[in-house]
Amino acid sequence: MARREAITAEPLARVVQRELGQNVFLCYQCLKCTSGCSLAEHFDLMPNQVMRSLQLGDERVLESKAIWLCASCQTCSTRCPQGLDIAGIMDVLRIEAKRRGLTPAIPEVDTFSKLFLYDIGLLGRLYEVGLMAGMNLATRRPLKDVDMGLEMMRRGKLRLVPTIVRPPRRVKPVKPAANQVAYFPGCSLHSSAAEYDHTVRTAARALGLALIEPPGWTCCGSSPAHSTDHVLATVLPMRTLATVEQMGLDTVTAPCSACFARMRAAAYTVMHDGEIAHMVEERIGYAYRGTVTVQHLLDTLVDRAGLDKIKANVKKPLTGLKVACYYGCLITRPPRITQAEHPEYPMKMDYLMRALGAEPVHWSCKTDCCGGALSLTQTPLALEMTRKILQNAHDCGADVVATVCPLCHVNLDARQSQIGLDFQIPVLYATQLMVLAFGLGAQAAALHKNLVDPRPALQARGLV
Ligand code: SF4
Ligand code: SF4
Ligand code: SF4
């Protein structure tokens, strides 16, 4: 029987085994997945109950809200003592529910995925304004987030005209040089995270890193792709990895956690699953050899450029600035894919802040999920998750939060006024703080682009 043939009556445990190679009968109901899930209290079936339903062959799990509310934060998959990929199983169940013609229990999540994939299918890259407007029309809430959108536009953070790109037919190899790294900015850095892109490039220049943007790169597909089609979720990032490999570059760095996670997962899949590798090769017309290392920008800065070089560039140390380093979920999880040494309490950004002269604080929410995947579809839930993160940073004495993900930044900074906190806390990209510490000034650090103005907090420490 062909692996991907439609078999409606097939038991769900077998569907999971076939699609993901996971044996749900290994689950012994320890509840670690449920106790670590920030969304479990909103689920109708807890993650461990989803697993039990699969063991019992209870197909009602396909009609549950849980499979649509899962934010793919990978906490459960990281903590399961049996090595079960519960987040991946949630994807399989969403895909299977749709294949069987069931109405999604949370239709907005499915609508979001469809609009997102339509957008990138048409344009190659995500058109953020179009996606927001499309979601507002589809959900009949035309004015949702209009204030936030206008404020972002005022600061030149939203691209009004879409970009249309296609992967290049022929790729020219670059002239090799030791300081070169392929740079995959991802859709957000060309739009809502313009200040991140600007400061990444400025900091890299100061450190002598040559960032080379692959020609015709296209969107990684993010959560909508892996929630919809496992092969498509691998094809989309592999297009760019194929370009980078043909350029002759051995490393690609991604400043967006979602891009990093998707590229890393796609490369892992292609190297470990011959059947999918073959399908990907047919779709992109290139047999990937696996010569490219996918790094998150944070790793590139700390490991490749190095803390010594970073320290040597500091002209205006961030003395006295207390920083809560927020890593989010996808830089370190799941460790099987990311190879992160400390997936639950990473320290690399803390070391970076220390090298800049700042004082990183210890806090509990470093790797908590901000609900990024639900930001446009279940906004109140995302705001509740973000509130916990910001409250914890504030309670632990942080002056500012530092992040290295454009999606986390939108939730923590642009949406902060929607949360109703009784304080404001600036949220900066780590690279904005680098540029500031390198003595290049507030303008070069693009501080005017942040929706929560960081200048008063920095002025109070004499840093701007
Ligand atoms: S953590 Fe793993 S073994 Fe424990 S209940 Fe969840 S799926 Fe089952
Ligand atoms: S991936 Fe995250 S949101 Fe989804 S079930 Fe696991 S812990 Fe919960
Ligand atoms: S935006 Fe960041 S923290 Fe939020 S869900 Fe995505 S990776 Fe996780």
Side-chain angles (χ1 to χ4, degrees):
M1 186 179 303
R3 182 174 165 178
R4 276 160 219 290
E5 242 171 50
I7 316 154
T8 307
E10 188 178 13
L12 290 175
R14 208 177 300 155
V15 174
V16 170
Q17 178 76 53
R18 173 166 55 78
E19 290 296 322
L20 213 57
Q22 293 267 305
N23 176 3
V24 298
F25 296 101
L26 290 176
C27 167
Y28 58 85
Q29 294 292 303
C30 73
L31 301 191
K32 273 196 163 195
C33 49
T34 296
S35 57
C37 175
S38 356
L39 280 157
E41 61 187 291
H42 302 285
F43 286 1
D44 46 0
L45 282 180
M46 303 292 118
N48 70 294
Q49 291 173 325
V50 168
M51 299 304 290
R52 181 57 103 203
S53 302
L54 295 175
Q55 291 174 335
L56 296 174
D58 186 345
E59 305 210 338
R60 284 174 300 179
V61 67
L62 293 178
E63 292 166 70
S64 70
K65 290 183 179 167
I67 61 173
W68 295 98
L69 284 180
C70 165
S72 306
C73 75
Q74 310 286 335
T75 311
C76 48
S77 305
T78 301
R79 293 188 183 176
C80 176
Q82 293 292 77
L84 287 163
D85 178 8
I86 302 105
I89 291 171
M90 295 289 198
D91 280 343
V92 171
L93 296 178
R94 278 192 282 254
I95 294 167
E96 187 63 13
K98 286 185 62 181
R99 198 183 63 78
R100 294 188 184 188
L102 298 169
T103 305
I106 311 279
E108 304 92 286
V109 176
D110 185 44
T111 304
F112 171 75
S113 293
K114 280 187 189 143
L115 284 174
F116 187 107
L117 293 176
Y118 176 76
D119 214 25
I120 63 169
L122 196 67
L123 305 169
R125 290 182 194 161
L126 183 66
Y127 176 41
E128 290 174 324
V129 174
L131 180 67
M132 284 165 79
M135 273 309 289
N136 284 6
L137 284 178
T139 55
R140 301 205 183 113
R141 281 174 293 180
L143 297 180
K144 183 173 180 291
D145 291 332
V146 164
D147 290 1
M148 181 180 79
L150 288 175
E151 196 52 41
M152 290 172 86
M153 268 180 210
R154 206 170 66 78
R155 287 162 204 255
K157 284 172 60 117
L158 283 181
R159 200 181 266 251
L160 296 179
V161 182
T163 313
I164 302 176
V165 282
R166 292 287 174 263
R169 295 218 172 135
R170 289 194 26 226
V171 181
K172 273 214 292 214
V174 294
K175 224 166 135 205
N179 65 341
Q180 284 173 340
V181 179
Y183 173 57
F184 180 80
C187 308
S188 304
L189 272 82
H190 273 203
S191 184
S192 57
E195 70 271 46
Y196 192 18
D197 185 53
H198 175 71
T199 51
V200 168
R201 291 175 192 272
T202 308
R205 236 183 343 265
L207 295 170
L209 278 176
L211 301 181
I212 303 183
E213 206 169 313
W217 62 262
T218 51
C219 176
C220 71
S222 198
S223 300
H226 69 72
S227 306
T228 306
D229 180 337
H230 197 43
V231 178
L232 179 70
T234 311
V235 164
L236 292 172
M238 286 314 297
R239 282 180 182 166
T240 302
L241 281 175
T243 304
V244 174
E245 189 167 79
Q246 290 171 84
M247 289 167 81
L249 294 166
D250 62 5
T251 305
V252 59
T253 189
C256 168
S257 305
C259 302
F260 163 73
R262 291 317 312 154
M263 283 205 282
R264 194 109 185 168
Y268 182 91
T269 303
V270 164
M271 299 321 286
H272 290 84
D273 184 329
E275 191 180 344
I276 292 193
H278 182 65
M279 286 189 252
V280 170
E281 184 184 333
E282 283 193 336
R283 295 267 287 271
I284 68 174
Y286 179 79
Y288 181 67
R289 289 175 284 118
T291 59
V292 181
T293 302
V294 179
Q295 274 187 339
H296 189 277
L297 175 85
L298 182 60
D299 298 317
T300 309
L301 294 172
V302 174
D303 298 338
R304 182 143 180 168
L307 291 173
D308 288 343
K309 201 170 212 175
I310 290 169
K311 268 188 209 156
N313 272 277
V314 173
K315 309 273 182 322
K316 202 166 178 198
L318 306 179
T319 312
L321 188 71
K322 294 199 175 70
V323 184
C325 296
Y326 178 62
Y327 297 77
C329 359
L330 299 177
I331 300 183
T332 57
R333 295 196 294 258
R336 177 177 57 93
I337 304 284
T338 64
Q339 302 294 312
E341 207 181 337
H342 302 293
E344 303 271 14
Y345 203 79
M347 286 301 290
K348 234 171 235 185
M349 204 188 328
D350 295 64
Y351 298 148
L352 172 63
M353 289 303 131
R354 218 174 275 156
L356 301 179
E359 193 184 315
V361 300
H362 286 291
W363 63 310
S364 313
C365 295
K366 271 184 173 187
T367 56
D368 281 15
C369 174
C370 74
L374 302 172
S375 181
L376 281 185
T377 57
Q378 299 291 307
T379 312
L381 283 188
L383 293 179
E384 193 182 315
M385 294 161 88
T386 311
R387 162 193 278 279
K388 284 184 194 156
I389 293 165
L390 294 173
Q391 187 69 53
N392 184 240
H394 179 70
D395 293 348
C396 291
D399 300 315
V400 301
V401 175
T403 178
V404 282
C405 171
L407 308 177
C408 304
H409 194 265
V410 168
N411 269 2
L412 298 171
D413 175 59
R415 287 199 184 279
Q416 199 174 124
S417 63
Q418 299 176 356
I419 301 175
L421 293 163
D422 53 13
F423 60 89
Q424 279 207 324
I425 184 163
V427 182
L428 293 117
Y429 289 106
T431 46
Q432 289 183 287
L433 291 169
M434 287 177 82
V435 169
L436 215 53
F438 289 175
L440 301 169
Q443 190 68 26
L447 301 180
H448 52 285
K449 295 238 181 219
N450 296 50
L451 267 67
V452 176
D453 191 348
R455 287 167 290 194
L458 296 167
Q459 268 155 8
R461 303 274 176 197
L463 301 172
V464 288

